[in-house]
Amino acid sequence: MNLLLKSNKMKGIEEILYDKKIDIEQIKAPEDIEERLFNALDSVKVIKTKSKINYKIAAAVILLVLLVGYSHDTLAYFGEKIIGYDNIQSGSLDSLNNNGMGQKINKSYKFSDGTIVTLDGIIYDDKNLYTLYSERNEYKEIDGNEIGSDTINIIGYIEYKNSTSIGEITNNKKQINNIMKFTAPAFYERKLTFSICRNVNGKIETGNISFVLDRSKAIKRSLNKNINKTVNLNGHEINFKTISVSPLGIEVKGTIESSIYNIIHHNNEQYNVSFDVVADDKVISNIESGSRTNASLKGIGRTFYSDFSGISSFKKLQLSNIILNETKYYNSSEKYFNLNSNTVNKKIDFDGTSFEVEKVYIDGDSTCVQMIRGKSAEIIGAGFFINGQEVHSEYKDLEELNNDKVRVLWRIYGKGEDIKFKIRGINYISKYDNKIDVK
Amino acid sequence: MQEVDLIINAQKGDKEALIEYILKRKDEYYRLAYVYVKNQEDALDALQEMIVILFENIRKLKNVDSFVTWSKTILVNCCKNILKKKNKIILVDSYKDKEFIDKYKCIDQSIDIENALESLNFKQREAIKLKYYLGYDYETIAQITKTPVGTVKSRISYGLKLLKKVMKIAEISKNYAK
């Protein structure tokens, strides 16, 4: 552990992380785990409909999407026309493939267990690079547990990590074709290495495939433009600053202002912005808050990016369905609301938002609290206390009502004459009804 | 019955022996799954899938002593499959999970660090959580994630540096506004 301690600041972060360990250790397996395990083995030969492991399913197309911080819409593939990737290509990039865009590599590496990795080609623009590669072994079937377990990087003067991938196991289960996304190599890169690190029979083996970037094959941007539009939602300013579009993806940069103020005064807020990108009146992507943030005096900068769903040509481009999810936490609040079986139509005002407890009733060994909330204000992390002890509860939405309200129900696992109710967090949803014209 | 005997019996086809073994360490397995998928239902789903795979493949296990690492590797892969299938982006919205929120008494620090962790890529976050949340050593993390020990150390090191940077930026923002 001490090897990683370089400074006091880093030690502080480690202490915070170790504090979380104490919380994690409080987590106990639920009581029905035994029943679940028995049920699972009862049907051991049956392919479960909810099973996420598809390697057992013959001739199935398996989609593997590893997303980190990005949303994605339609997966698209493009490059030189390479046989075998047809099932995992779609969207606007399909036309690029048909036009032979991309750079063919066609180099292989053979691992000691007979697995051959072939880098068929690459396609890239100034922001991202996609590799099309296959893994095959004539002597054994693809093990579903192995999928996604390889460590793959592109190495130049610096190392480029992958962030997203999609793959397909072929009919004979002896080959998997993949498309994997990386950050685009820096402008000065020319010679690159596609490096695969695999566990081969218990030992780690690394295979390298070198290639030279042909910059003439890079995909050009469709649009680079300033947007400079501001949307006000629930007291926050969301500034859409720039947009950059290529067939490979769409990037929107902006800021959310008043975040600094809220961090100081509320200290516990989280934001998530999502919106649609509409080209020629058709939604081509839904994008959510990006993972890249940088704080400044003007607010928290965000980069929103759509994976695999770019566009090459369009006449009109708009941003629509802009939604702000703002989650506030009140764990340090000492405000409680008293409830009992006689509670009927009780109004609760909390941080400027009103809720109504319609009724409280006993149902078997549980107590039910039926409430009406606004559609745009969802209570999260509610706490119910009976005789000073917090009890477990479950929440569900019952029905939507006409006036932008929702009827909801909490089932508290316990009974008592005096119940205290505490609100730990509220998620506020604000929507901007208009569209922003980009082009 | 000794744990080794349970595994040997499971290899002979005894389902109850396998379940008994898992139940002896149920909190350990459940916490591992929960750290990945962050909710009870998905964690239980992952455990169900894990036990099916274990039972179907336990006869191939040559070294009974490696059962724990082997089973946890499978559990982690099950969790990752669930995350992949759900296109699960671990956004801050995951804080809506009531159980997750209720576990944290010191919300200020917890939310900051959880938000900061989202700035890391999946593999960095995974390595850091396995080390700090669950207390696994480098060798165990390497075995479970099928990565070289050096890579694990590198991911943790790089991830911590990035965390420090992100938290420092947040601190500067707070201090400036004062």
Side-chain angles (χ1 to χ4, degrees):
Chain A
M1 173 173 76
N2 287 329
L3 290 174
L4 293 179
L5 293 177
K6 301 283 184 195
S7 69
N8 286 336
K9 287 247 173 48
M10 192 178 284
K11 188 176 179 181
I13 288 173
E14 287 197 273
E15 281 172 349
I16 295 170
L17 289 167
Y18 276 122
D19 283 345
K20 300 297 283 286
K21 182 170 181 289
I22 296 169
D23 292 331
I24 294 290
E25 284 169 353
Q26 306 304 313
I27 294 175
K28 302 287 179 196
E31 286 177 7
D32 62 338
I33 185 175
E34 186 174 348
E35 185 186 345
R36 295 282 289 255
L37 293 178
F38 270 108
N39 288 344
L41 286 187
D42 264 349
S43 55
V44 71
K45 290 193 187 299
V46 175
I47 297 172
K48 294 189 295 178
T49 54
K50 245 188 123 174
S51 172
K52 307 301 188 285
I53 301 174
N54 293 307
Y55 73 94
K56 289 256 177 212
I57 301 174
V61 175
I62 295 178
L63 298 182
L64 309 173
V65 182
L66 301 167
L67 287 169
V68 179
Y70 297 117
S71 71
H72 78 289
D73 186 10
T74 308
L75 273 163
Y77 151 90
F78 57 92
E80 285 194 324
K81 185 76 175 183
I82 298 171
I83 305 300
Y85 291 86
D86 288 348
N87 286 342
I88 45 177
Q89 65 187 44
S90 62
S92 63
L93 305 177
D94 189 23
S95 62
L96 286 166
N97 178 36
N98 288 336
N99 287 327
M101 301 296 289
Q103 180 180 340
K104 208 164 188 174
I105 306 294
N106 199 21
K107 285 185 175 179
S108 300
Y109 179 89
K110 187 173 182 178
F111 287 86
S112 61
D113 66 346
T115 301
I116 299 173
V117 175
T118 302
L119 178 60
D120 290 304
I122 59 171
I123 183 72
Y124 63 101
D125 61 14
D126 56 339
K127 294 195 190 295
N128 295 290
L129 180 145
Y130 293 86
T131 58
L132 285 73
Y133 70 98
S134 64
E135 296 180 36
R136 69 181 185 279
N137 192 317
E138 293 302 322
Y139 306 104
K140 63 176 184 174
E141 292 180 352
I142 302 284
D143 180 349
N145 289 320
E146 300 293 318
I147 295 170
S149 61
D150 297 345
T151 301
I152 300 178
N153 296 313
I154 288 181
I155 302 168
Y157 286 106
I158 60 177
E159 199 169 294
Y160 301 91
K161 311 282 184 191
N162 70 76
S163 59
T164 311
S165 71
I166 179 172
E168 175 198 15
I169 292 182
T170 57
N171 284 351
N172 61 8
K173 292 196 282 185
K174 298 250 173 97
Q175 178 165 325
I176 177 166
N177 296 332
N178 298 280
I179 300 173
M180 185 171 273
K181 175 189 165 188
F182 297 83
T183 308
F187 68 93
Y188 49 78
E189 299 279 14
R190 188 166 166 272
K191 290 181 183 174
L192 297 171
T193 301
F194 182 69
S195 177
I196 312 108
C197 193
R198 305 181 71 236
N199 185 332
V200 179
N201 299 323
K203 288 184 184 172
I204 303 300
E205 199 174 320
T206 301
N208 293 321
I209 298 173
S210 297
F211 61 95
V212 176
L213 264 185
D214 181 354
R215 295 279 179 185
S216 69
K217 301 255 196 253
I219 297 297
K220 303 292 182 287
R221 297 253 125 224
S222 308
L223 177 75
N224 260 324
K225 198 172 181 225
N226 291 329
I227 306 176
N228 290 331
K229 289 279 171 65
T230 298
V231 167
N232 285 294
L233 284 173
N234 202 26
H236 302 284
E237 276 189 4
I238 303 166
N239 301 302
F240 294 95
K241 297 205 164 179
T242 62
I243 185 167
S244 182
V245 178
S246 97
L248 273 175
I250 300 167
E251 180 188 86
V252 176
K253 289 189 177 179
T255 60
I256 300 176
E257 290 191 15
S258 84
S259 293
I260 297 171
Y261 171 88
N262 282 316
I263 287 173
I264 298 300
H265 289 267
H266 294 287
N267 207 31
N268 281 306
E269 286 196 9
Q270 302 293 330
Y271 300 95
N272 176 15
V273 173
S274 70
F275 54 90
D276 291 338
V277 179
V278 181
D280 298 330
D281 297 316
K282 185 182 165 191
V283 176
I284 57 168
S285 184
N286 176 265
I287 303 179
E288 295 194 31
S289 281
S291 62
R292 293 197 282 273
T293 60
N294 46 281
S296 71
L297 300 179
K298 295 182 183 175
I300 304 291
R302 296 289 172 104
T303 301
F304 308 92
Y305 199 89
S306 71
D307 263 343
F308 296 109
S309 58
I311 188 166
S312 51
S313 64
F314 46 88
K315 289 182 184 160
K316 186 167 75 171
L317 194 68
Q318 298 166 304
L319 306 183
S320 73
N321 196 27
I322 298 166
I323 295 174
L324 171 69
N325 275 293
E326 182 189 357
T327 306
K328 291 185 183 177
Y329 298 95
Y330 308 95
N331 202 53
S332 54
S333 165
E334 292 304 319
K335 191 166 184 179
Y336 292 86
F337 300 98
N338 294 316
L339 306 174
N340 56 54
S341 56
N342 295 321
T343 301
V344 173
N345 297 333
K346 174 174 178 154
K347 276 210 173 359
I348 289 175
D349 288 309
F350 188 84
D351 197 25
T353 305
S354 295
F355 305 92
E356 181 185 336
V357 178
E358 277 191 312
K359 58 181 178 180
V360 177
Y361 59 92
I362 304 296
D363 181 21
D365 290 330
S366 304
T367 308
C368 292
V369 177
Q370 189 168 299
M371 182 183 287
I372 292 179
R373 65 169 177 87
K375 228 174 172 176
S376 62
E378 183 185 21
I379 295 175
I380 55 173
F384 292 92
F385 298 79
I386 297 177
N387 298 326
Q389 294 291 321
E390 185 163 3
V391 290
H392 182 62
S393 63
E394 282 184 3
Y395 166 91
K396 66 175 179 179
D397 287 342
L398 291 179
E399 58 177 317
E400 283 194 11
L401 305 174
N402 286 336
N403 48 352
D404 275 342
K405 303 269 187 202
V406 180
R407 177 171 284 125
V408 305
L409 181 80
W410 272 283
R411 177 177 291 275
I412 307 166
Y413 290 96
K415 290 191 291 188
E417 206 28 61
D418 291 307
I419 299 168
K420 289 194 187 306
F421 168 52
K422 181 177 178 176
I423 295 176
R424 288 203 173 97
I426 298 179
N427 185 46
Y428 297 93
I429 304 164
S430 315
K431 188 176 170 184
Y432 182 67
D433 292 323
N434 298 327
K435 291 182 181 176
I436 294 177
D437 291 315
V438 175
K439 178 187 174 191
Chain B
M1 192 182 284
Q2 299 276 355
E3 286 187 347
V4 169
D5 295 326
L6 289 172
I7 295 171
I8 292 171
N9 286 348
Q11 286 182 314
K12 293 173 185 172
D14 186 345
K15 291 181 185 178
E16 286 189 15
L18 180 60
I19 292 175
E20 187 179 335
Y21 183 96
I22 299 298
L23 288 176
K24 279 184 186 293
R25 294 168 178 253
K26 60 180 179 180
D27 290 337
E28 192 180 323
Y29 282 104
Y30 181 76
R31 281 176 204 142
L32 176 57
Y34 195 89
V35 162
Y36 276 88
V37 299
K38 290 189 173 181
N39 71 84
Q40 179 175 302
E41 266 313 300
D42 285 345
L44 288 172
D45 279 349
L47 283 160
Q48 283 189 282
E49 288 173 12
M50 174 200 74
I51 202 164
V52 169
I53 296 168
L54 289 179
F55 187 71
E56 289 177 342
N57 292 280
I58 197 168
R59 287 171 203 82
K60 299 177 194 170
L61 184 69
K62 294 191 172 89
N63 183 1
V64 173
D65 290 335
S66 63
F67 178 86
V68 173
T69 306
W70 176 63
S71 59
K72 285 184 177 176
T73 304
I74 289 172
L75 178 58
V76 163
N77 285 332
C78 291
C79 292
K80 288 179 183 175
N81 285 336
I82 287 173
L83 291 172
K84 288 173 202 172
K85 268 301 180 91
K86 286 192 166 190
N87 299 330
K88 197 92 170 178
I89 303 166
I90 308 299
L91 296 174
V92 293
D93 282 357
S94 64
Y95 294 134
K96 289 181 190 175
D97 189 282
K98 181 187 180 307
E99 185 178 347
F100 184 82
I101 290 174
D102 287 349
K103 293 301 172 189
Y104 293 96
K105 306 301 176 193
C106 182
I107 280 284
D108 293 357
Q109 217 173 44
S110 298
I111 295 299
D112 281 343
I113 193 68
E114 283 295 330
N115 197 26
L117 278 166
E118 294 303 316
S119 302
L120 310 183
N121 69 37
F122 180 83
K123 289 175 180 172
Q124 288 166 348
R125 205 160 58 231
E126 176 186 39
I128 285 177
K129 285 189 176 182
L130 289 175
K131 182 179 186 330
Y132 292 99
Y133 285 16
L134 295 172
Y136 291 167
D137 58 32
Y138 292 121
E139 187 60 43
T140 303
I141 297 171
Q143 286 171 1
I144 288 175
T145 59
K146 297 187 178 179
T147 325
V149 170
T151 303
V152 169
K153 288 184 180 176
S154 168
R155 284 176 186 167
I156 290 173
S157 174
Y158 191 81
L160 286 175
K161 282 181 193 163
L162 196 53
L163 271 182
K164 169 188 164 185
K165 209 172 171 181
V166 169
M167 306 255 319
K168 190 176 175 183
I169 288 169
E171 193 60 38
I172 288 171
S173 304
K174 290 181 195 180
N175 290 337
Y176 184 87
K178 283 178 187 169

